[in-house]
Amino acid sequence: MALPDGFMWGGAIAANQAEGAWKEGGRGPAVTDVNRYRPEADPKLYAIHHHNTVESITAAMADDDEVYYPKRRGIDFYHRYPEDLALFAEMGFQTLRVSIAWTRLYPTGEELEPNEEGIAFYLGFFTEMRRLGIEPLVTLSHYDPPLALALKNNCWLDRSTIGLFERFVKTCYERFGHLITYWLSFNEIDGIIRHPFTSGGLIEETVEGDFEEACYTALHHQFIASASATKMLKEMWPESKLGCMLTMLTTYPNTCHPDDVVATQEKERLLYLCTDVQAGGAYPRLALNLLERRGVTIPFEDGDAELLAEYPVDFISFSYYMSMTESVRPDAERTPGNTILGVKNPFLESSEWGWQIDPVGLRVSLIDLYDRYGKPLFIVENGLGMRDEVTEEGRIHDPYRIDYFRAHFEEMIKAVDEGVELLGYTSWSPIDFISASTSQITKRYGFIHVDMDDLGRGTMERRRKDSFFWYQKVIASNGADLS
């Protein structure tokens, strides 16, 4: 078994978790700038860490604190990216998934012209990536809608946001398109249903009417914006590719009881809704019927159906961290993971944060997605958040991380051997940074250690972990040497 020539190995980061410099270079506030680190809260209870109200948002914006609002400081990637890119190149990265912060280019989202300091930053960044031989894979929207739009009209709930996003996307294509071949429209677009503020800028207390319907309305607007971004790319850079991005929450029936199977089927119907629309070009009838039974009506306007049908994405990317099970039993034990609760699988181990580890589920996910859509796939997030210890000699021994990746790579290669067309793999994250779910840095994912604790104390020195050298070997062998 072997991976094809041209398979792209690398890593993935997000602007809102890495860049910092939240008030530099003309950047405006994003929704993530008001997400507070809550050390007193159970790290497994995602909702507590992401509950925002108008009062909490107002208080946050009146406070310049970067200790308890750690995404404001990130890991100072804004200033240190040449050093970090050099380390990625040393590992052998052929690609790096990154995101462009909307508010670095349009601070409130409503400006008529882009912020040139933001343009200059990303031009320098992408140019340096190209110089090092690293292919940029660029996400246009990664959990950072402009806070100004969230406060004004709940951002993606308002259809006018589509036009504002189109202006941002056109600027990205015009200014950076000569450096970028692969684009993604929305990070984990399905996430707007689970965490609507972070993903879509919706503040629940200010939304009138049924909130679930509001979330699906905002999702529909993102679908239209994604299709519009595809159309624009085909017109401006016809050789470039745009993909969608799904949180792959692979779910098994908890038992072989038919009711558990039906419950699992219904859950996956709404999961696949996002790729059905973006890759298949239309809402599936069964998903629409399911939503209608829940009181949700999709707000189609003239031309929406035609745009979705004419401009599907070129490839499907996804994150995969864990699987879960589903059961109709009300007393079934549930476990958190990746912003969702699922019924615990007794055959799997879990991380400290409750995420169940299932390498075989990655192969299942790849085969299911390719079987369903027949489009090229890209694994753009996969990794293990763990606490690491630094020895007296300054070393970080992380065999648990190597074991995790080895097991997932073995299953990934099996799926490719079965015929899945896979473009590449980017780990989450190649360098330690602020966790999206709990705003910690001690939930570490990286091959590169960053000297900082959860309160921002430390030198920010970068150190290579043992897994750094292991991943370097894997990339050099194109996955042939996983020892």
Side-chain angles (χ1 to χ4, degrees):
M1 296 185 291
L3 293 169
D5 293 340
F7 185 86
M8 291 183 281
W9 291 94
I13 64 173
N16 73 85
Q17 294 167 255
E19 284 182 6
W22 73 300
K23 286 191 172 182
E24 292 187 48
R27 179 186 179 279
V31 296
T32 46
D33 294 322
V34 300
N35 273 349
R36 184 177 173 84
Y37 169 51
R38 303 180 189 277
E40 75 286 355
D42 186 340
K44 295 180 181 179
L45 300 179
Y46 177 86
I48 294 176
H49 295 273
H50 286 257
H51 180 65
N52 289 283
T53 64
V54 172
E55 182 181 5
S56 70
I57 293 167
T58 302
M61 291 312 299
D63 189 350
D64 284 339
D65 175 61
E66 294 185 359
V67 174
Y68 289 96
Y69 297 97
K71 292 189 178 77
R72 297 175 177 183
R73 67 173 186 267
I75 56 167
D76 198 28
F77 188 79
Y78 183 81
H79 297 107
R80 295 172 178 255
Y81 77 80
E83 171 191 357
D84 293 337
L85 288 180
L87 286 167
F88 298 155
E90 183 183 336
M91 263 191 288
F93 278 21
Q94 293 130 8
T95 188
L96 178 68
R97 180 187 170 214
V98 299
S99 65
I100 296 173
W102 188 350
T103 57
R104 281 211 187 278
L105 269 54
Y106 291 89
T108 70
E110 293 190 290
E111 291 80 6
L112 297 179
E113 298 295 333
N115 167 35
E116 290 297 333
E117 286 185 86
I119 296 288
F121 168 72
Y122 287 112
L123 267 178
F125 176 40
F126 295 136
T127 300
E128 179 65 4
M129 286 177 65
R130 282 294 185 187
R131 187 187 72 80
L132 292 169
I134 300 173
E135 178 86 40
L137 170 60
V138 178
T139 309
L140 289 160
S141 179
H142 192 131
Y143 290 173
D144 56 0
L147 184 63
L149 294 182
L151 292 168
K152 179 181 179 180
N153 57 15
N154 285 296
C155 197
W156 282 104
L157 179 57
D158 194 293
R159 193 172 173 107
S160 67
T161 300
I162 297 173
L164 300 177
F165 186 69
E166 287 171 338
R167 181 184 299 157
F168 163 69
V169 171
K170 184 179 181 182
T171 297
C172 292
Y173 290 167
E174 286 177 341
R175 301 298 191 95
F176 315 130
H178 62 295
L179 296 168
I180 299 164
T181 302
Y182 295 95
W183 299 85
L184 302 177
S185 52
F186 290 88
N187 176 71
E188 294 183 335
I189 193 168
D190 54 291
I192 200 168
I193 307 303
R194 300 188 303 279
H195 37 83
F197 178 71
T198 302
S199 186
L202 277 68
I203 307 169
E204 185 169 1
E205 68 183 285
T206 67
V207 172
E208 297 180 1
D210 181 73
F211 190 63
E212 183 181 31
E213 184 170 57
C215 292
Y216 278 100
T217 295
L219 177 61
H220 179 72
H221 293 158
Q222 290 188 342
F223 288 156
I224 299 303
S226 178
S228 178
T230 304
K231 178 177 184 293
M232 207 182 306
L233 187 65
K234 298 305 176 188
E235 293 168 351
M236 298 174 68
W237 298 98
E239 300 305 312
S240 293
K241 307 292 183 185
L242 187 137
C244 62
M245 202 286 210
L246 177 73
T247 316
M248 195 60 193
L249 299 168
T250 296
T251 305
Y252 313 130
N254 187 250
T255 70
C256 54
H257 192 290
D259 289 348
D260 281 357
V261 175
V262 170
T264 303
Q265 203 174 41
E266 182 172 304
K267 191 169 187 175
E268 291 205 320
R269 185 170 298 140
L270 292 182
L271 169 68
Y272 285 124
L273 167 67
C274 294
T275 37
D276 286 342
V277 173
Q278 292 185 281
Y283 282 81
R285 179 177 178 178
L286 293 182
L288 281 177
N289 288 346
L290 176 59
L291 289 174
E292 286 174 6
R293 289 196 298 273
R294 290 165 58 164
V296 173
T297 301
I298 304 300
F300 274 92
E301 292 195 4
D302 290 345
D304 283 3
E306 292 78 9
L307 184 68
L308 293 173
E310 191 171 352
Y311 292 101
V313 295
D314 298 302
F315 63 95
I316 296 168
S317 73
F318 65 96
S319 62
Y320 176 82
Y321 295 99
M322 56 172 288
S323 65
M324 63 189 69
T325 78
E326 189 53 85
S327 173
V328 295
R329 290 188 300 110
D331 61 341
E333 181 184 0
R334 293 185 175 266
T335 183
N338 203 6
T339 74
I340 199 166
L341 280 174
V343 177
K344 191 171 184 177
N345 189 329
F347 298 101
L348 300 177
E349 296 181 358
S350 300
S351 76
E352 178 183 338
W353 286 266
W355 299 33
Q356 295 208 276
I357 299 169
D358 179 15
V360 174
L362 177 58
R363 173 159 51 116
V364 171
S365 301
L366 286 163
I367 291 171
D368 280 355
L369 284 169
Y370 194 68
D371 219 15
R372 188 179 184 105
Y373 301 107
K375 284 183 178 281
L377 305 180
F378 209 133
I379 303 168
V380 295
E381 287 187 29
N382 173 239
L384 177 67
M386 293 285 283
R387 298 183 191 275
D388 293 327
E389 298 294 332
V390 181
T391 69
E392 291 182 1
E393 297 78 23
R395 299 286 300 277
I396 300 98
H397 303 303
D398 56 343
Y400 40 85
R401 187 167 288 111
I402 293 171
D403 290 344
Y404 175 95
F405 281 115
R406 178 187 294 113
H408 283 77
F409 292 166
E410 288 172 349
E411 298 301 327
M412 175 181 79
I413 291 169
K414 289 176 184 176
V416 172
D417 189 55
E418 288 194 38
V420 170
E421 184 180 358
L422 187 59
L423 298 173
Y425 173 96
T426 58
S427 73
W428 188 266
S429 159
I431 186 169
D432 297 341
F433 60 15
I434 310 302
S435 167
S437 58
T438 60
S439 295
Q440 297 172 281
I441 193 171
T442 51
K443 182 186 180 186
R444 298 182 182 274
Y445 283 89
F447 304 116
I448 300 165
H449 181 272
V450 176
D451 180 35
M452 186 198 300
D453 68 10
D454 287 335
L455 297 179
R457 297 170 298 200
T459 65
M460 288 202 187
E461 177 187 356
R462 275 59 164 157
R463 292 189 180 99
R464 300 164 183 81
K465 304 178 188 180
D466 287 357
S467 56
F468 178 103
F469 302 102
W470 179 82
Y471 194 44
Q472 184 184 58
K473 177 179 64 176
V474 170
I475 295 173
S477 69
N478 196 26
D481 186 354
L482 301 179
S483 63

